[in-house]
Amino acid sequence: SLATRFQDVALCEKIGTSEEKDLCYMDLARIKENLLLCDKVLDSVRLDLCRQTIAIVKQDSSICNKINDPFVKADCYAGINK
């Protein structure tokens, strides 16, 4: 997407559906390794997955603590301990 190509959060905000916005924020969070961008994700499942991705990329188990879904949280810790 244009937002990820230009790494521009403002472009995510202009996207139509909430699902597309969430995916845009998730992509940017991963690219920028920025946990704060995950907070813009509205869907709780996608929010947990966004946090998991950042935790694994940064190898930071404290981010796993912010995950609500127990299965995603377990995967998060497992991904860090590889």
Side-chain angles (χ1 to χ4, degrees):
S1 75
L2 283 174
T4 53
R5 187 176 308 146
F6 294 108
Q7 297 187 18
D8 187 347
V9 176
L11 293 175
C12 290
E13 294 163 6
K14 294 180 172 52
I15 293 175
T17 69
S18 62
E19 179 181 5
E20 290 170 323
K21 281 182 185 166
D22 281 359
L23 295 174
C24 184
Y25 290 130
M26 290 172 71
D27 282 345
L28 278 181
R30 179 182 44 78
I31 290 165
K32 292 177 171 255
E33 298 182 14
N34 185 339
L35 181 63
L36 294 177
L37 289 174
C38 291
D39 292 339
K40 294 181 173 288
V41 175
L42 298 177
D43 179 82
S44 62
V45 173
R46 287 190 288 266
L47 174 60
D48 281 348
L49 292 172
C50 187
R51 289 174 173 163
Q52 176 192 26
T53 299
I54 300 302
I56 291 170
V57 167
K58 292 188 162 209
Q59 292 291 292
D60 183 347
S61 63
S62 69
I63 298 171
C64 298
N65 295 331
K66 299 174 185 285
I67 295 172
N68 295 309
D69 183 286
F71 297 108
V72 177
K73 187 180 280 191
D75 282 348
C76 184
Y77 288 118
I80 288 172
N81 293 322
K82 282 187 176 176

